[in-house]
Amino acid sequence: MKLLSLLLIAPALFGQVTFDRILNANKEPQNWITYSGTEMSQRHSLLSQITPANVKNLELQWVFQAHSLEKFEATPLVVDGVLYTVQAPNDVVAMDAATGRVFWVYEYPPSPEALVCCGRVNRGLAILNDTLFMGTIDGHLIALDAKSGRPIWNVTVAKAGAGYSLMHAPLIVKDKVIVGTAGGEFGIRGFLAAYDARTGKEAWKFHTIPGPGDPGHETWAGDSWQHGGASVWVTGSYDPQLNLTYWGIGNPGPDWNSDNREGANLYSDSVVALDADTGKLRWYFQFSPHDDFDYDSVQVPVLADMEWKGKLRRVMLWANRNGFYYVLDRTTGEFLQGKPFAKVTWTTGLDDSGHPVRIATANPSREGTLVYPGVQGATNWFSPSYSPHTGFFYIDTWENYGSIFNKLPADYVEGRRYTAGSPRSPVPSLTGAQVLNRTEAEGYGVVRAFDPKTGERKWEFKMADVSMSGILTTTTDLLFAGGREGYFWALDARTGAELWRASVGGEVASGPMTYSVNGRQYIAVSAGNSLFTFALRQ
């Protein structure tokens, strides 16, 4: 049963968030009206009040303490002074973006049947007109009135008891709400689906594992396609000129024993480009064919227009969990460039088509095989950033992080984990002073800046421990990111120099974002179980 807790009706009667406003989000940088800032997913802001010269004057303004002990991974939305976020697993909160005063809370208790592999979390919301949309960990898509929090409709996207869940912020395209299913570790058959924003009626569905008679079905041996995973964990992107929406697809299942699924296993570990009106596949690019390391490609597709070898091209920048970053032509899917951005030992490199050249001895084994990157990848779901101002692509990286991959037998049973292995780190768990004194050989977190045109690393900012923070850049050449150590940093986006830091007392595991209210710019980030909001000292 749904529960609604109305603490106070929001007084701000903002204008309708039309799709035209979403497409032109850069024209109103005071707001943050989609998960990655814009449909291009650059996580770059044009706000300019906070600069390298004055960032040292940032001070904490308010804190929202979530009534949850789960990870706080949601990126808030801000619309005309009202901030919306999700306290895990699925409670929507509306508050005053300037003061943190709560207007209303919509409480959603997920079904006891909900199965999740990696925490009962939610990464955010979508908004269209005056309606908010949220996916739930028990496989529902819910529409709420943005002014009051009252539910409008609730549809079942997939069966929770079979392992299906929704973790990411939905994507709005025209009059549709697009979501994808997580649950690959439970042997689901993943899919993306679009729903009518007004009624909740399904408009189209694209299975991320092709069925019998579909192109690509032959890349799955036997009946392995039925439980092959290929989840969706992170919000996609959209190009209105091409009318294509782009999504990263997760690993095949079982994760670490590929003996029964011979073939490339499309469209796992791929980016798919779908017609936004019909859901029809226009092109795909597979980063890690026949993956047996859990290198799922559930990263954010970052879209940019740049000169490429003397020609203006629509490109896609992709920092992949497998340790390589890629530049693709987003019109055709053509591979333009791919280079490692962290230690890689499972392949000797990429061929001219961008396909990895596998090392025969680098595979999960009964006794265990040490491979880099490790099971969490060289990066993961947390957002990179591209700054058109600097021209750099910024990646939160796990360096020298490996895992010992082993494989075990696995039989599919609905509702049970279907992973066939248990990777482990070669480095014992480190805590306290051990983390601060760990050697680089034991793995560390680092923000790296690259020139995507040349592949040249421009700078790096090292941390004592690995990080699950997303990255925010601004037009004033600031970069914001956090870490597991409990710090939130502002760096010079051109040089990587540290300009400011704040202790937030917990791991930063979300994407920082920025907005302004009444001409005052704020920076917000989640850490531990709280949302922290900063602004310049007045």
Side-chain angles (χ1 to χ4, degrees):
M1 178 180 178
K2 298 180 297 294
L3 299 175
L4 179 65
S5 175
L6 287 175
L7 305 185
L8 182 69
I9 301 298
L13 299 178
F14 53 75
Q16 296 269 314
V17 182
T18 63
F19 185 58
D20 184 67
R21 282 185 70 181
I22 293 172
L23 285 182
N24 292 282
N26 273 339
K27 295 181 180 179
E28 47 179 293
Q30 73 275 15
N31 292 321
W32 191 277
I33 54 179
T34 191
Y35 175 73
S36 295
T38 71
E39 301 274 71
M40 299 279 279
S41 299
Q42 294 178 358
R43 209 165 270 259
H44 178 79
S45 173
L46 298 182
L47 290 178
S48 58
Q49 186 177 88
I50 303 171
T51 69
N54 64 25
V55 69
K56 64 181 181 293
N57 296 322
L58 280 181
E59 291 184 338
L60 184 65
Q61 302 301 306
W62 58 264
V63 180
F64 169 73
Q65 174 66 57
H67 297 172
S68 170
L69 296 179
E70 298 286 350
K71 293 181 291 184
F72 202 154
E73 295 185 351
T75 295
L77 301 181
V78 172
V79 182
D80 300 339
V82 181
L83 183 147
Y84 302 96
T85 192
V86 182
Q87 63 178 9
N90 286 126
D91 295 344
V92 182
V93 185
M95 62 189 82
D96 188 313
T99 67
R101 181 188 187 190
V102 173
F103 295 138
W104 55 258
V105 179
Y106 170 80
E107 299 174 345
Y108 179 85
S111 165
E113 293 185 342
L115 299 170
V116 293
C117 82
C118 314
R120 293 164 58 86
V121 298
N122 178 282
R123 295 187 177 129
L125 304 161
I127 189 168
L128 180 65
N129 297 322
D130 54 5
T131 305
L132 293 164
F133 302 92
M134 174 182 64
T136 71
I137 63 170
D138 59 354
H140 287 240
L141 180 62
I142 297 174
L144 304 174
D145 184 289
K147 295 183 177 66
S148 68
R150 294 188 177 93
I152 299 171
W153 51 255
N154 178 337
V155 298
T156 300
V157 175
K159 181 181 177 182
Y164 288 91
S165 59
L166 302 179
M167 300 286 196
H168 65 82
L171 182 71
I172 301 297
V173 178
K174 300 179 182 177
D175 59 349
K176 297 179 178 63
V177 186
I178 305 176
V179 293
T181 55
E185 281 64 39
F186 295 95
I188 67 163
R189 181 191 178 200
F191 64 85
L192 287 150
Y195 295 84
D196 184 283
R198 186 176 59 85
T199 65
K201 182 179 179 181
E202 184 181 297
W204 55 254
K205 179 183 286 187
F206 171 78
H207 282 284
T208 56
I209 300 176
D214 294 331
H217 179 67
E218 70 283 355
T219 65
W220 293 85
D223 63 358
S224 62
W225 64 277
Q226 296 181 17
H227 306 294
S231 301
V232 178
W233 291 92
V234 178
T235 309
S237 305
Y238 175 65
D239 184 323
Q241 280 69 45
L242 300 174
N243 197 35
L244 293 179
T245 182
Y246 308 94
W247 293 82
I249 309 301
N251 60 282
D255 300 39
W256 301 295
N257 188 338
S258 62
D259 293 348
N260 296 325
R261 52 172 172 85
E262 286 300 318
N265 304 146
L266 293 173
Y267 296 99
S268 70
D269 289 3
S270 301
V271 54
V272 294
L274 307 181
D275 184 291
D277 295 332
T278 65
K280 299 295 184 184
L281 180 69
R282 295 303 180 212
W283 60 260
Y284 74 91
F285 182 86
Q286 190 173 38
F287 301 99
S288 305
H290 192 70
D291 172 28
D292 43 15
F293 301 116
D294 193 7
Y295 288 159
D296 52 6
S297 298
V298 288
Q299 294 82 50
V300 175
V302 178
L303 312 186
D305 299 330
M306 64 177 61
E307 185 177 303
W308 189 269
K309 298 181 179 179
K311 178 183 177 182
L312 183 64
R313 299 192 80 150
R314 300 175 184 271
V315 303
M316 175 185 294
L317 309 178
W318 197 291
N320 199 274
R321 187 167 170 173
N322 69 11
F324 290 86
Y325 81 87
Y326 299 77
V327 183
L328 306 178
D329 184 303
R330 71 174 185 270
T331 303
T332 64
E334 178 187 354
F335 171 74
L336 301 178
Q337 181 172 264
K339 294 189 176 183
F341 64 93
K343 183 177 181 178
V344 173
T345 66
W346 65 279
T347 171
T348 58
L350 306 178
D351 65 19
D352 291 342
S353 299
H355 298 134
V357 180
R358 288 289 296 265
I359 296 174
T361 56
N363 294 292
S365 60
R366 299 289 180 181
E367 63 277 9
T369 305
L370 177 60
V371 174
Y372 293 80
V375 67
Q376 292 295 331
T379 192
N380 207 293
W381 63 270
F382 29 90
S383 300
S385 178
Y386 171 72
S387 169
H389 202 243
T390 64
F392 296 166
F393 185 44
Y394 304 91
I395 307 170
D396 191 345
T397 305
W398 289 29
E399 181 57 276
N400 280 348
Y401 169 81
S403 290
I404 298 172
F405 290 90
N406 70 323
K407 67 178 183 180
L408 302 169
D411 295 316
Y412 173 77
V413 178
E414 183 176 296
R416 294 185 184 177
R417 292 181 72 90
Y418 185 57
T419 54
S422 55
R424 63 191 187 278
S425 172
V427 180
S429 296
L430 302 177
T431 58
Q434 290 176 306
V435 170
L436 296 177
N437 295 311
R438 70 193 302 166
T439 68
E440 291 190 359
E442 292 172 324
Y444 58 95
V446 57
V447 176
R448 285 179 169 153
F450 293 87
D451 182 338
K453 297 180 182 179
T454 64
E456 178 188 2
R457 185 193 301 177
K458 306 302 289 188
W459 58 258
E460 65 178 21
F461 177 80
K462 292 182 179 179
M463 293 170 269
D465 200 355
V466 293
S467 168
M468 295 183 69
S469 169
I471 295 173
L472 168 73
T473 58
T474 73
T475 195
T476 58
D477 293 343
L478 285 173
L479 180 149
F480 292 91
R484 187 171 287 180
E485 305 153 62
Y487 291 114
F488 183 46
W489 288 284
L491 308 180
D492 186 307
R494 291 194 176 273
T495 67
E498 181 181 331
L499 302 175
W500 170 86
R501 76 162 68 181
S503 177
V504 288
E507 178 181 8
V508 176
S510 70
M513 50 83 71
T514 186
Y515 60 92
S516 69
V517 181
N518 297 325
R520 192 180 191 198
Q521 184 180 354
Y522 296 82
I523 306 288
V525 68
S526 300
N529 312 115
S530 301
L531 176 67
F532 296 81
T533 305
F534 300 86
L536 293 175
R537 182 185 310 129
Q538 288 186 325

